Amino acid sequence: MSIEDITITEPYKILFFTYEGVNDQGFPYTTSYEVYPSYKSIDGSWVNTSENMFNEDDIKSLISQHKLDWTESVTTDYKAFVDSQVLTNPSLEQQIDEILASL
Amino acid sequence: MTLKIDANQKVVDLLTEYVKLNIKSIPLDRFGNQSYHDFDSQQLPNKNVDKGFFSSTDSFTYFKHYHNSHALIEKCNAILKAKENTNCLVYYPNSFMHWHTNSDNPGIRTYYTYSLGYSLFRYIDNDNIIDDVDSVGWTVRQFAVDIKKPLWHTIWSSGFRFSFGFNT
């Protein structure tokens, strides 16, 4: 699957997708991205945008900026959520615990 | 213009200890309930706004030991040669501080912030809007607060964000 095969029919406020590829050394890897309204890779890096809504071109542009090789075998898993992150975010207690563990 | 500076490790250690001591006192019955779009849609005010403010009291709280009353904060003041600690502030997830300049309290302002989620410091530099994204963990920024040359800035945070301001 190439990047052109990705179809995003509606702008998403929150978007998760997973990319599975093979790195330069031939090792397979999986990485996940979150878009709300910016996106970040699981290594913690972020790319910011000034838009709150994303369309297909936006997503492709973001992916391109991140230099992902979409010519590799790819699986995608899209999931759109409602406006509030409350439904998807850890509870405040969990976030506090996460912070404590990180300090 | 870059605002980020290297962290003083002693200050980081002290503030880390401070957070560990006080984090459990944060009320958990609040939530910012703002969207990034709300943040991004803000218009730059055409009149000075000196103090930073939130849309709702549910968007923030102060740590229990506010200002210079805590020994760890006093130690930070001494290391940074700061006249005062200006705040020990907690941003709740999905909250933002509106555009402001801090020009009511001039000096050299140094902010130590801690966040794991996505948060950013947006400011105006020569009529350009700059988005300076927080690092995961501690970030330190420093800038002059000069009423003759105000630095407009606004802050978005999608997760908890702890902010410690020092004025020299």
Side-chain angles (χ1 to χ4, degrees):
Chain A
M1 179 183 287
S2 70
I3 189 170
E4 285 73 24
D5 296 321
I6 299 169
T7 301
I8 303 170
T9 55
E10 297 291 337
Y12 288 94
K13 287 190 175 180
I14 303 174
L15 168 69
F16 291 98
F17 64 92
T18 301
Y19 171 76
E20 294 178 355
V22 179
N23 67 13
D24 293 341
Q25 288 75 44
F27 294 105
Y29 67 94
T30 301
T31 188
S32 299
Y33 292 85
E34 174 186 346
V35 180
Y36 179 82
S38 305
Y39 83 116
K40 84 172 179 179
S41 67
I42 54 175
D43 67 8
S45 61
W46 287 89
V47 174
N48 183 45
T49 80
S50 59
E51 299 296 327
N52 194 42
M53 303 290 280
F54 290 82
N55 57 34
E56 184 174 352
D57 287 340
D58 294 329
I59 299 296
K60 287 179 178 177
S61 173
L62 289 170
I63 293 167
S64 176
Q65 285 175 34
H66 218 60
K67 297 177 181 175
L68 290 173
D69 181 4
W70 285 87
T71 61
E72 300 288 348
S73 173
V74 174
T75 60
T76 54
D77 179 21
Y78 300 104
K79 188 176 182 182
F81 293 88
V82 293
D83 291 357
S84 173
Q85 286 193 98
V86 178
L87 297 177
T88 56
N89 265 0
S91 70
L92 297 185
E93 290 88 345
Q94 285 176 302
Q95 291 188 50
I96 292 292
D97 289 341
E98 184 183 351
I99 290 168
L100 271 172
S102 72
L103 285 167
Chain B
M1 177 174 67
T2 179
L3 305 182
K4 282 179 181 159
I5 63 171
D6 291 337
N8 182 307
Q9 191 56 49
K10 289 181 180 176
V11 173
V12 166
D13 292 344
L14 289 165
L15 293 178
T16 298
E17 186 178 348
Y18 178 88
V19 171
K20 286 179 178 177
L21 283 172
N22 292 286
I23 195 169
K24 291 295 186 181
S25 68
I26 296 172
L28 295 180
D29 57 349
R30 305 178 187 181
F31 198 80
N33 206 30
Q34 304 289 304
S35 73
Y36 182 87
H37 183 70
D38 297 331
F39 165 78
D40 199 41
S41 302
Q42 294 179 90
Q43 297 297 311
L44 190 66
N46 51 24
K47 290 182 179 178
N48 183 45
V49 179
D50 50 15
K51 289 184 173 58
F53 66 96
F54 292 84
S55 298
S56 160
T57 53
D58 282 343
S59 296
F60 72 101
T61 188
Y62 292 106
F63 275 112
K64 188 176 179 182
H65 302 286
Y66 180 41
H67 274 186
N68 307 292
S69 59
H70 196 282
L72 293 171
I73 298 299
E74 288 179 349
K75 287 181 182 177
C76 292
N77 286 342
I79 292 169
L80 296 172
K81 296 181 171 56
K83 290 183 292 189
E84 59 178 343
N85 165 251
T86 57
N87 57 25
C88 300
L89 185 61
V90 177
Y91 292 70
Y92 280 88
N94 294 336
S95 64
F96 67 93
M97 186 180 281
H98 289 249
W99 285 111
H100 65 289
T101 64
N102 291 132
S103 59
D104 59 319
N105 191 6
I108 301 297
R109 195 64 49 84
T110 305
Y111 282 107
Y112 278 70
T113 60
Y114 186 90
S115 59
L116 294 181
Y118 176 68
S119 53
L120 67 87
F121 184 101
R122 174 175 289 182
Y123 63 100
I124 303 292
D125 180 22
N126 290 326
D127 295 329
N128 296 314
I129 294 179
I130 309 294
D131 281 352
D132 191 12
V133 179
D134 286 357
S135 304
V136 174
W138 289 101
T139 302
V140 189
R141 293 185 180 86
Q142 188 176 70
F143 53 91
V145 177
D146 182 351
I147 195 166
K148 294 178 182 175
K149 193 178 178 183
L151 181 80
W152 283 101
H153 57 283
T154 178
I155 295 100
W156 162 257
S157 190
S158 64
F160 275 113
R161 183 178 190 267
F162 307 141
S163 176
F164 301 89
F166 300 92
N167 201 25
T168 56

